Amino acid sequence: MKKRLLASLLSATILLSMTPMAFADEETTAKTQTTQGEVAVQAAQGPFDVDVENPYSDITVKSAVLENGVLTIKVGYAAENQMAGIGCSYTLYDEDVTDRAIARQIDADGNVQADRANITGTIRDCTVYTMTVPEDAEDLKVTVDGLTTWTYDQESKTLTISGSGAMEDYTRHTAPWGVAIAAILNAAGTEVSASMVSDIANPRITQVKFAEGSSVTHISSHAFRTTSIRTITIPASVESIGDYALIQCRQLRSIQEETPHAERPFYVEDDVIYERYTTEDGQDGLALRFFALAKETGAYTIKDGVTALGSNSMQKAQFTGVTIPKSVRSVNSFAFSNSNIESVTFAGSPSFGTEFETGATPGQGAFNSCESLREIKNFPNVDALPAQLFSTAKSLETFTIPETVTSIGNSAFSNTAITSITIPAGVKEMGNALFSTDASTVEGEEPTRTALTVTFEKGSQLSSIGNSCFAGLDSYQLLFDPADADAYNMCAQRGYQV
């Protein structure tokens, strides 16, 4: 994807825009401001395979093409640092569906640039948006529903959003402020790949403000993830918040809303953003979406009434213990990943799922990289242990797999300290790298384990086991009942020592 820099990155006043790259972690002193430099908007070119509604004179929709299930929309801007919110609607099996297109950048020749690289070094005024559309969708319509602008002041490390309507949605490393900050450090001689923007550039932002008089209705996906903000206030005008917009903000202590109102699906309570939803089968629910990660440092009890723990919702939380209430039906992917928890208590029997969300892998990595996790109380009787469930939970020495489990996902127990475990008879599938153990990256430090004993209960129904399940171990034992010849032979045929 492309850069749009209007002045030298090395000058005292730097104009930031949609740019690629990431940056290193050294201080820079230049004052960064964004102005509304005029850029010519090309006339609409077409083709247009769908109806387009665009009330903004500063935005030109150049084309909207539907091909192989992907809707591609090309947009031009009148000024630097503008963002267009692009909403889409269609009918699917008599149901009305709304969705949002994702912003991607293109070069001068109209080619999508995955890394936002400015191929020509000149100002570009195009953005490409894409969205997947079901084959049977009817009455597809595109609506430009927002025109917003961003500025970043490097001296105060403040990101300011102004304008009205929806912000455009992004992917993990492509929010333009992070990309532009990254370009400053790249220009100063620090080369960092575009895949590190979120991890290295975004943390330079310590404040996020919405300009006075603005009326933003949608906060974009991935908008403020990994920033170093300590507080944020959600404007009264905001009607929706995109996926991952506030995850991994490790300094965040306070989340407030300007004016609470019941018309929007989400609300803020005790520095947590909750969102109401209804499942496809008509069940009402309440999702915990975003959490002030730095507020709680001891034991924390999730609010009773919450039914889904959103993906990455408490990733990198600083609390040391957590109780999951009986009301929770679904623990979603990476919900507690990289957090400081030492103990987790289940008061009910949730599944590891995707309730409230689409596109996620059910429960994947829910406790991934919880390196202090030692104690798990009342683990639920689930059917499946998802991939990476306890991967790199380096302090976890014991775990009892419920008798209800029939499948165990890839790397579920990789890099744990478990040295002996029993596989229930009902387990039919075991994934790849299940108990793999990496060498320590710290000189002189031992790996989390060097040996493992796996006991298969009598009557084992195991019919499939993945590759590299015991990679990195000095030794391992697989113990079967003599009557379970099929499971024994299957493991032997896979090349494992039995």
Side-chain angles (χ1 to χ4, degrees):
M1 299 185 181
K2 60 184 185 309
K3 297 179 186 174
R4 291 188 287 177
L5 298 181
L6 298 183
S8 169
L9 291 171
L10 301 178
S11 62
T13 300
I14 301 175
L15 301 177
L16 292 185
S17 171
M18 308 268 186
T19 342
M21 313 173 204
F23 74 173
D25 195 26
E26 68 246 9
E27 288 298 329
T28 51
T29 57
K31 177 76 175 283
T32 303
Q33 297 176 328
T34 304
T35 64
Q36 292 298 308
E38 290 297 322
V39 181
V41 177
Q42 301 172 23
Q45 299 171 356
F48 292 91
D49 294 343
V50 301
D51 292 334
V52 177
E53 181 179 316
N54 175 22
Y56 296 96
S57 59
D58 273 12
I59 296 172
T60 298
V61 179
K62 301 181 177 185
S63 62
V65 177
L66 180 61
E67 185 175 5
N68 298 325
V70 177
L71 177 62
T72 302
I73 307 148
K74 186 183 293 186
V75 171
Y77 304 98
E80 193 67 17
N81 290 8
Q82 290 182 326
M83 301 179 285
I86 304 291
C88 302
S89 62
Y90 55 86
T91 302
L92 185 64
Y93 308 126
D94 297 324
E95 295 287 336
D96 293 332
V97 179
T98 59
D99 203 347
R100 302 204 63 80
I102 302 294
R104 308 182 188 280
Q105 299 303 302
I106 63 173
D107 65 15
D109 298 319
N111 301 310
V112 174
Q113 301 298 302
D115 61 357
R116 288 180 176 252
N118 186 354
I119 305 302
T120 64
T122 58
I123 301 168
R124 301 266 62 84
D125 66 335
C126 293
T127 301
V128 160
Y129 296 78
T130 63
M131 188 189 79
T132 302
V133 178
E135 182 179 355
D136 295 329
E138 299 178 335
D139 302 322
L140 182 60
K141 181 180 180 180
V142 170
T143 302
V144 181
D145 58 2
L147 174 58
T148 54
T149 302
W150 63 272
T151 63
Y152 176 70
D153 184 88
Q154 193 174 351
E155 185 175 316
S156 64
K157 300 183 179 180
T158 299
L159 172 67
T160 302
I161 307 296
S162 59
S164 63
M167 297 169 62
E168 67 184 15
D169 282 316
Y170 303 105
T171 55
R172 177 177 178 180
H173 296 292
T174 57
W177 33 90
V179 171
I181 294 169
I184 296 174
L185 293 183
N186 277 279
T190 302
E191 185 177 354
V192 183
S193 71
S195 63
M196 295 299 291
V197 171
S198 173
D199 304 299
I200 300 176
N202 288 7
R204 292 305 181 95
I205 298 170
T206 61
Q207 294 185 75
V208 169
K209 295 181 178 180
F210 293 86
E212 185 176 353
S214 63
S215 54
V216 174
T217 59
H218 172 74
I219 295 176
S220 56
S221 299
H222 300 273
F224 312 130
R225 68 175 291 159
T226 66
T227 59
S228 297
I229 59 174
R230 293 177 177 269
T231 66
I232 190 167
T233 299
I234 309 299
S237 58
V238 172
E239 300 169 0
S240 61
I241 303 175
D243 295 338
Y244 313 112
L246 284 166
I247 69 167
Q248 300 182 45
C249 297
R250 300 198 71 170
Q251 308 301 318
L252 186 58
R253 299 175 182 274
S254 173
I255 303 174
Q256 304 295 323
E257 55 183 336
E258 192 174 70
T259 306
H261 56 83
E263 288 75 19
R264 58 189 180 189
F266 71 88
Y267 66 92
V268 179
E269 182 181 304
D270 295 331
D271 305 294
V272 180
I273 297 179
Y274 300 98
E275 185 158 335
R276 309 172 191 89
Y277 65 95
T278 302
T279 63
E280 290 184 359
D281 59 2
Q283 293 188 83
D284 290 333
L286 183 67
L288 189 159
R289 289 204 62 196
F290 302 108
F291 187 84
L293 300 180
K295 181 182 178 182
E296 305 289 344
T297 56
Y300 179 73
T301 299
I302 293 168
K303 172 183 173 177
D304 190 31
V306 170
T307 55
L309 305 181
S311 292
N312 305 81
S313 56
M314 289 168 280
Q315 185 177 14
K316 298 187 178 181
Q318 294 185 23
F319 48 56
T320 55
V322 64
T323 298
I324 300 172
K326 187 176 181 180
S327 59
V328 171
R329 300 189 294 250
S330 180
V331 178
N332 294 4
S333 60
F334 300 100
F336 299 100
S337 176
N338 298 87
S339 68
N340 290 346
I341 56 172
E342 300 170 5
S343 172
V344 58
T345 300
F346 291 86
S349 296
S351 65
F352 293 96
T354 59
E355 188 169 313
F356 169 73
E357 298 168 335
T358 57
T361 303
Q364 178 178 354
F367 299 99
N368 174 67
S369 296
C370 294
E371 295 190 1
S372 299
L373 179 61
R374 292 179 173 84
E375 184 178 40
I376 302 168
K377 299 179 181 178
N378 306 323
F379 190 83
N381 291 323
V382 295
D383 296 332
L385 300 183
Q388 302 176 46
L389 178 61
F390 297 114
S391 177
T392 320
K394 294 182 176 181
S395 300
L396 187 63
E397 296 180 350
T398 62
F399 181 76
T400 300
I401 300 174
E403 294 291 329
T404 54
V405 170
T406 60
S407 66
I408 305 174
N410 296 341
S411 305
F413 299 103
S414 64
N415 295 309
T416 65
I418 295 170
T419 56
S420 178
I421 195 166
T422 297
I423 307 297
V427 172
K428 299 177 181 179
E429 299 177 355
M430 295 170 60
N432 298 321
L434 195 56
F435 300 102
S436 62
T437 305
D438 297 333
S440 175
T441 57
V442 179
E443 187 176 354
E445 183 179 88
E446 294 293 322
T448 56
R449 63 184 164 208
T450 57
L452 175 68
T453 299
V454 181
T455 302
F456 291 84
E457 281 187 348
K458 183 178 180 180
S460 175
Q461 301 176 38
L462 186 67
S463 60
S464 174
I465 188 169
N467 299 319
S468 307
C469 281
F470 310 100
L473 293 171
D474 292 342
S475 63
Y476 64 89
Q477 280 187 306
L478 307 185
L479 304 179
F480 292 89
D481 186 273
D484 295 330
D486 288 345
Y488 176 96
N489 290 333
M490 188 274 299
C491 286
Q493 291 169 4
R494 294 287 292 156
Y496 293 117
Q497 299 173 10
V498 291

